[in-house]
Amino acid sequence: MNNADKQYIELCRDILDNGHTKGDRTGTGTLSVFGRTMRFDLSKGFPLLTTKSVHFKSVVHELLFFLRGDTNIQYLKDNNVKIWDAWADKNGEVGALYGHQWRAWRDSYDATKSIDQIAKLIHTLKSDPDSRRMLVSAWNVSDLPLEKYSPQKNAHWGRMALATCHYSFQCYVVDGKLSMIFNMRSSDVFLGAPFNFASYALLTHMLAQVCNLEVGDLVYSGADVHIYSNHIEQVKTQIKRYDNGEVYELPTIKLNPSIKNIDDFTFNDIELVGYQHAGKLIGSVAV
């Protein structure tokens, strides 16, 4: 059974039925609810929604971009992925976003040093899998954007172009299985959330492989969970598709089994198998 689309559609119905009309940074307007969770058993399929197509190539390249620690979108542009173009400055910089925080968090005690949170996480997963400190944060208060300035100016100054939305994730190991929870302060349900499910599911698979673990559950935790006003009709179409049976079994993910170091993964080491979907649904990104 495809529990990913089921949970997602239930969340969409919840927002349409119970959401509060709220303004937002972009001026677009949203229907919003507060505090929602979903749980996906990764052993039962890869949670890439099937009631609409999700561009898996972009998911993979963005995650590799983060894991590289990049702050410049040239890698994405080289691979024809445009999802960060709207926020980069003229030199392609997006500032101290996810990659920087994951791989080079500034050491507050020694300005010449930085902290590689991903490397520390992998070390702990291997050496102390019962630890309750296997947490990676991207919410670095000192790097948050100055809100009266544009994303491009903030990026140019080395700050985050945008305040991180998926601001932390934590790992949990039991019975040789790796589970993960990721936390979102702000969750764009139509465009962003399906992408986030897939990205963190893929990261869980990659971490599990390099740490000799199986995959367990992926848990999504959203705070301000919303549908933008210009996405409501698309969401209603997606709900109709589900109600009409336009939903498919989840695909699976296949990783190159020879990769044992997180930094060695390339796009060609990651294969999506058996992805069927009901077709595209287009919506504009609120910037």
Side-chain angles (χ1 to χ4, degrees), residues 56 79 104 120 145 159 180 184 212 220-221 245 256-257 263 277:
F56 188 67
N79 289 284
K120 288 175 69 70
R159 291 180 173 272
M180 179 187 290
M184 302 202 64
N212 297 311
Y220 157 92
S221 175
N256 179 348
D263 297 317
H277 56 78

Side-chain angles (χ1 to χ4, degrees), residues 3-4 7 37-43 45-48 169-171 178-183 193-205 215-221:
N3 197 39
Q7 291 184 84
T37 61
M38 283 181 271
R39 181 182 293 267
F40 309 107
D41 182 346
L42 297 182
S43 70
F46 189 78
L48 198 65
F169 66 91
Q170 185 172 348
C171 292
L178 173 64
S179 293
M180 179 187 290
I181 184 170
F182 70 98
N183 302 292
F195 213 85
N196 301 134
F197 304 156
S199 182
Y200 278 99
L202 178 55
L203 180 59
T204 305
H205 275 273
V215 291
D217 290 346
L218 175 69
V219 181
Y220 157 92
S221 175

Side-chain angles (χ1 to χ4, degrees), residues 48-179:
L48 198 65
L49 295 185
T50 71
T51 44
K52 72 167 185 177
S53 65
V54 180
H55 195 237
F56 188 67
K57 172 188 172 183
S58 294
V59 172
V60 175
H61 279 304
E62 185 194 47
L63 179 57
L64 294 176
F65 168 69
F66 293 160
L67 289 170
R68 287 161 56 98
D70 283 350
T71 63
N72 189 289
I73 64 170
Q74 189 60 51
Y75 167 81
L76 296 176
K77 294 177 77 69
D78 290 345
N79 289 284
N80 199 31
V81 174
K82 302 176 182 179
I83 53 180
W84 281 98
D85 286 8
W87 293 280
D89 73 7
K90 64 181 181 180
N91 297 315
E93 293 293 330
V94 290
L97 277 169
Y98 303 96
H100 177 82
Q101 306 302 342
W102 286 9
R103 306 310 302 261
W105 182 291
R106 296 183 184 96
D107 189 321
S108 59
Y109 294 98
D110 186 343
T112 67
K113 294 181 179 179
S114 62
I115 300 164
D116 186 339
Q117 294 190 81
I118 298 296
K120 288 175 69 70
L121 171 66
I122 291 170
H123 174 76
T124 307
L125 282 167
K126 291 178 176 179
S127 63
D128 186 14
D130 288 336
S131 174
R132 297 188 294 269
R133 300 181 180 186
M134 296 187 294
L135 186 150
V136 171
S137 176
W139 190 257
N140 189 336
V141 176
S142 66
D143 286 332
L144 290 176
L146 302 174
E147 294 190 8
K148 65 180 180 178
Y149 295 106
S150 69
Q152 291 76 19
K153 281 189 176 180
N154 276 288
H156 179 71
W157 294 329
R159 291 180 173 272
M160 300 176 189
L162 293 174
T164 47
C165 293
H166 42 103
Y167 63 88
S168 72
F169 66 91
Q170 185 172 348
C171 292
Y172 178 86
V173 178
V174 67
D175 296 331
K177 293 183 178 181
L178 173 64
S179 293

